[in-house]
Amino acid sequence: SQKIEQNSEALNIQEGKTATLTCNYTNYSPAYLQWYRQDPGRGPVFLLLIRENEKEKRKERLKVTFDTTLKQSLFHITASQPADSATYLCALDPYSSASKIIFGSGTRLSIRP
Amino acid sequence: GAGVSQSPSNKVTEKGKDVELRCDPISGHTALYWYRQSLGQGLEFLIYFQGNSAPDKSGLPSDRFSAERTGGSVSTLTIQRTQQEDSAVYLCASSSSKVGDGYTFGSGTRLTVV
């Protein structure tokens, strides 16, 4: 069956360092991979989308890589700040953003001052 | 509207009662999705509407769950004869057909069945 794995344990990072979150999947061939941020009591907020033929995507302090051979995506936040503390969800999309996507369970990130 | 609106934000109901959850998507978004999230868990897909096509109901956990979308806009998720295991946050999202935009989620309805 299709499976998406994200680090279930919380990640604690010192402010200013780079935070790296991992998303692994099996039995799936997504055309796109998305990353979302979720704060307590709120719905997820879309951050970035990367296509299967893209190796890397950047947006401000965020960088996402997508390795379809390893079936893995890495999500980096450089120069991390306490305001980056949240749960980050990866989501696999088989076709496009206009079809249902499957979410991982998320990794909670804490940035300490 | 400016975002996806869900109501009510919180709902406490007695076991066995029916509940209706409402979602008002972003104007012009053709796709609408319902997910639910249990405490500390990921998002579980429930149902997906795309334009005038038949909805994808493959995620509905039982026949007590149903949803409709009227006029291609507002959607209502109905849970009949609620059970305690139905307690969760129900999230609605909408998206355009443009690749790269992602989903826009509402803040959810927290349902508690007592």
Side-chain angles (χ1 to χ4, degrees):
Chain A
S1 62
Q2 298 168 348
K3 195 173 181 181
I4 305 170
E5 290 185 346
Q6 294 187 253
N7 291 352
S8 58
E9 294 183 11
L11 187 62
N12 294 291
I13 300 292
Q14 178 72 44
E15 180 178 8
K17 302 290 186 183
T18 296
T20 299
L21 285 66
T22 305
C23 175
N24 294 294
Y25 59 93
T26 56
N27 298 324
Y28 208 78
S29 296
Y32 306 87
L33 189 144
Q34 303 182 21
W35 282 89
Y36 289 76
R37 168 184 173 141
Q38 187 173 25
D39 291 283
R42 313 288 293 179
V45 174
F46 172 71
L47 297 175
L48 278 170
L49 175 147
I50 186 166
R51 292 168 169 77
E52 61 178 340
N53 60 353
E54 295 178 316
K55 297 295 184 186
E56 183 179 296
K57 196 80 167 278
R58 291 175 185 261
K59 179 182 177 182
E60 299 172 353
R61 294 183 295 110
L62 307 181
K63 184 179 85 171
V64 172
T65 63
F66 192 12
D67 189 325
T68 55
T69 301
L70 291 179
K71 295 188 180 296
Q72 181 182 80
S73 175
L74 299 178
F75 177 82
H76 307 272
I77 305 176
T78 59
S80 59
Q81 305 167 0
D84 296 327
S85 299
T87 295
Y88 290 86
L89 304 167
C90 93
L92 302 184
D93 184 343
Y95 305 114
S96 73
S97 63
S99 62
K100 73 184 187 197
I101 60 178
I102 308 298
F103 285 85
S105 56
T107 298
R108 188 156 49 91
L109 175 66
S110 294
I111 308 297
R112 58 182 186 275
Chain B
V4 176
S5 178
Q6 290 188 247
S7 62
S9 54
N10 281 285
K11 176 72 176 179
V12 179
T13 189
E14 291 182 352
K15 178 181 173 181
K17 301 281 190 180
D18 298 352
V19 294
E20 284 190 354
L21 312 180
R22 177 188 167 102
C23 173
D24 202 339
I26 290 176
S27 177
H29 276 190
T30 56
L32 186 147
Y33 316 81
W34 284 96
Y35 288 81
R36 74 176 174 182
Q37 188 172 33
S38 301
L39 190 64
Q41 301 298 309
L43 277 70
E44 176 189 4
F45 167 76
L46 297 176
I47 188 168
Y48 155 54
F49 297 89
Q50 173 61 56
N52 295 321
S53 302
D56 178 350
K57 304 179 182 180
S58 60
L60 294 179
S62 77
D63 59 8
R64 295 186 295 105
F65 288 72
S66 63
E68 62 177 20
R69 187 179 185 192
T70 53
S73 181
V74 172
S75 177
T76 302
L77 177 69
T78 301
I79 308 173
Q80 296 179 310
R81 305 181 302 282
T82 52
Q83 304 294 314
Q84 287 187 329
E85 60 263 28
D86 299 335
S87 296
V89 175
Y90 289 80
L91 290 160
C92 174
S94 68
S95 71
S96 70
S97 56
K98 180 181 175 184
V99 174
D101 283 353
Y103 290 10
T104 302
F105 280 86
S107 291
T109 294
R110 181 175 296 279
L111 175 66
T112 304
V113 182
V114 298

